[in-house]
Structure formats: C-alpha cells, structure tokens
Amino acid sequence: MRATIEEMLIFKRIVEAGSLSKAAEQLDMAKSAVSRRLKMLEARLSVNLLQRTTRRQILTEAGEHYYRNCIRLLDDIAEVESQVSGGRSEINGRLRIAVPLSFGLDYLSPVLLSYQADFPNVSLDIDFSDQHVDLVAGGFDLAIRIGQLPDSSLRARRLSYTRLLICASPTYLEAKGMPKTPEDLRKNHVALHYYQRHENWPFIDSGKRVDVVVDSIMQANNGQFLCHAAKSHLGLIRAPDFICHKAISSGELIKILSDYYIENHIGIYAVTPGHHYLPKRCEMLIDYIQSAFRQKTPWLEC
C-alpha cells in the first residue's frame, strides 16, 4: 500500500511539473529513479499513462483517469490524517463536480461561490454539462442530477425538487386558442421539444391517463433556448419550472392545464460514488447546497 501511495505522489508530481526532470528536481530524486518508478507503475497497471516525446509529455486517456483519481485519493488521505491529528476544522483538498448546465448556472453558481469563499482551501473543479457523466471513470466526487435515478452503486441525497410545466406566450395562445382540456392540444397547436425526450405529454383526465402527442416544429438540447422560443410565440413548451418560472412570473409565458398534470415532483439529487468514505469537503458542500435550497427555491414559486 505504501508503495502504491508513493507511486501516486510521484505520478502526480510528474504530471503537474510537466516533465520527468522537473519532477525529479522537485522530489529531490534522480531523474533515472523517477523514470524507473513511472515505468514500474505503468507495467503494474498494464497501460501507458503518458505519451512522451523529446519536447513534451501528454496524458493518455488512462493517464487522465488515473491522475484525477490520484488527486481525489491523496486528498482523502490527507483529510483523514488531518482529522485524526486534531485538524478537524480544516477543510481542504480538491472537489470535482458535475452539474446540469442551466440549473447549475442559474441556481448552483451562487451557492458554489459562497462555499468557495467560506472554504478557500478547497479547490473546485466544476463541469457544467447536461450529459450524465460516469463519476468513477471521470474522477468526479459529486454530481447534481435531476430526474428519476436508476438503481446503481451510487449514493444519492435529495436536495429539492422541480416540476414540469406546460406554457406558452399570451400572443401564441391568443392566436391558437387557450386549451381547456388535454384533448384541445391536438387542435392546431405545435410544440418545442427537447432532443431525446418522449413526445407524448401525459395527463390525468377524469381519473384516466391521457397521452397527447403535439406536433413538433422545433427541437433543441437546451431548455433556456426553447424557453426563449416560446417567449417569441413559436409554440408550447413542457419544461422544468427552473427554466420557465421567471417568464411565467413576468407574464411572458402562461402556465396551462396544470389541473391535469400527473404527479409532477421530480427530484434534484446530490450523487456521489458508492465507496464507504465520503470526504468531509464533499459532505460539507452537499450540506451547503441543501441548506441554501431550504431557504430559497424561487423556481417553485410560480
């Protein structure tokens, strides 16, 4: 185990120093010894971690994966030792986080900035994307996910919830007619859809489920764009309230058919790898986000 940790430290230093010679100088080791340890590590793992030329070194895909996990594991070890030695108040290390693009920019950004100000010794590495990342393969400590979570080895903690709302601009509804029941959506209405989403819109009418297909005139992979399109009177959107609540509050969009929605609470979760140890810096961030959402959830006010 000790040899493995030493190899991680040496590899981390090689990557961050940018060359074997600089790493050797910083580690106060002979360059040949550093090179030998790297070769031993690659042989043990049966992969090439670095592509080396006379001018530079480049991480391979396996090397990038190993490097990110080295950082996390070494930070975890340092944190455990700090806690055992009495430094319980010291929160440090690196956090690699994956957050949804629109929700992250609008509602997580202020929380993350506040957390960073309160814990300046924690280094945040934030990936804003709507793609579901592999936490372990990507070296992520935490992901914020919205929607139903599949069974997996990951751990999840609910932070809040969102709702799917159907809305359109007053101008659009004046031109096309205000739907009174789900069946009215089949009459001359058009929709602005997300990519890779079912086009059936589910409702409950007189105790029975009704699925309505609304003709699509536009598809996009970003909810904020579709919200702008709806505000431009182009069609109906079925979008999370965190996307459209500001436009509803301002009167740019009108929420329709809410009495017919099927159970509509969609969880917002903090998801972490399922290993037994959760770093204190990660646990504190989850607490921080949950506390912020308990105090203020503006998207639920519409």
Side-chain angles (χ1 to χ4, degrees), residues 207-275:
K208 296 181 180 180
R209 175 169 173 144
V210 177
D211 292 314
V212 177
V213 177
V214 184
D215 291 338
S216 175
I217 63 162
M218 180 182 291
Q219 297 185 59
N221 64 350
N222 182 266
Q224 287 181 327
F225 173 79
L226 293 175
C227 185
H228 289 312
K231 290 191 294 183
S232 298
H233 327 304
L234 296 180
L236 301 160
I237 59 168
R238 182 171 181 255
D241 48 18
F242 63 81
I243 291 287
C244 58
H245 82 95
K246 293 179 182 177
I248 293 172
S249 297
S250 69
E252 294 174 280
L253 294 178
I254 296 175
K255 180 172 57 174
I256 64 171
L257 298 175
S258 54
D259 290 340
Y260 295 90
Y261 294 165
I262 287 178
E263 175 58 35
N264 199 29
H265 284 196
I266 301 166
I268 300 172
Y269 300 92
V271 180
T272 57
H275 55 69

Side-chain angles (χ1 to χ4, degrees), residues 43-291:
R44 183 169 60 81
L45 298 176
S46 300
V47 294
N48 290 325
L49 300 173
L50 289 170
Q51 292 179 345
R52 297 174 289 280
T53 68
T54 55
R55 294 187 177 183
R56 61 176 181 165
Q57 61 184 27
I58 302 171
L59 280 170
T60 63
E61 183 177 350
E64 178 70 24
H65 172 64
Y66 188 74
Y67 172 66
R68 287 177 178 171
N69 282 282
C70 279
I71 292 173
R72 187 175 69 223
L73 291 170
L74 291 170
D75 283 345
D76 291 351
I77 291 169
E79 185 178 278
V80 170
E81 291 186 345
S82 174
Q83 291 176 359
V84 171
S85 65
R88 296 181 182 274
S89 62
E90 185 70 14
I91 304 296
N92 52 40
R94 183 172 180 171
L95 271 178
R96 183 163 166 77
I97 313 162
V99 300
L101 181 59
S102 297
F103 184 79
L105 291 174
D106 283 348
Y107 301 107
L108 283 173
S109 290
V111 183
L112 294 173
L113 294 175
S114 181
Y115 175 89
Q116 180 76 85
D118 285 349
F119 300 101
N121 292 325
V122 176
S123 175
L124 295 181
D125 180 353
I126 308 165
D127 185 324
F128 288 93
S129 173
D130 289 328
Q131 299 296 317
H132 274 210
V133 297
D134 184 323
L135 268 66
V136 176
F140 287 94
D141 301 283
L142 169 68
I144 305 300
R145 290 188 175 165
I146 300 172
Q148 186 175 357
L149 298 180
D151 293 335
S152 71
S153 60
L154 302 177
R155 293 185 296 186
R157 184 164 147 194
R158 181 162 163 157
L159 303 171
S160 186
Y161 68 93
T162 182
R163 304 157 299 167
L164 287 174
L165 307 179
I166 299 175
C167 46
S169 74
T171 299
Y172 170 88
L173 292 171
E174 184 179 350
K176 300 287 188 177
M178 174 67 75
K180 302 298 183 182
T181 70
E183 289 296 333
D184 292 340
L185 294 176
R186 304 183 194 273
K187 304 171 185 176
N188 201 34
H189 284 283
V190 292
L192 313 166
H193 281 295
Y194 284 89
Y195 279 133
Q196 299 177 342
R197 294 285 179 88
H198 294 297
E199 295 188 359
N200 287 357
W201 288 358
F203 300 93
I204 290 290
D205 190 358
S206 301
K208 296 181 180 180
R209 175 169 173 144
V210 177
D211 292 314
V212 177
V213 177
V214 184
D215 291 338
S216 175
I217 63 162
M218 180 182 291
Q219 297 185 59
N221 64 350
N222 182 266
Q224 287 181 327
F225 173 79
L226 293 175
C227 185
H228 289 312
K231 290 191 294 183
S232 298
H233 327 304
L234 296 180
L236 301 160
I237 59 168
R238 182 171 181 255
D241 48 18
F242 63 81
I243 291 287
C244 58
H245 82 95
K246 293 179 182 177
I248 293 172
S249 297
S250 69
E252 294 174 280
L253 294 178
I254 296 175
K255 180 172 57 174
I256 64 171
L257 298 175
S258 54
D259 290 340
Y260 295 90
Y261 294 165
I262 287 178
E263 175 58 35
N264 199 29
H265 284 196
I266 301 166
I268 300 172
Y269 300 92
V271 180
T272 57
H275 55 69
H276 67 282
Y277 173 68
L278 183 66
K280 188 68 175 178
R281 59 190 180 277
C282 190
E283 182 181 345
M284 291 291 291
L285 177 56
I286 296 172
D287 288 343
Y288 216 86
I289 297 170
Q290 191 169 59
S291 176

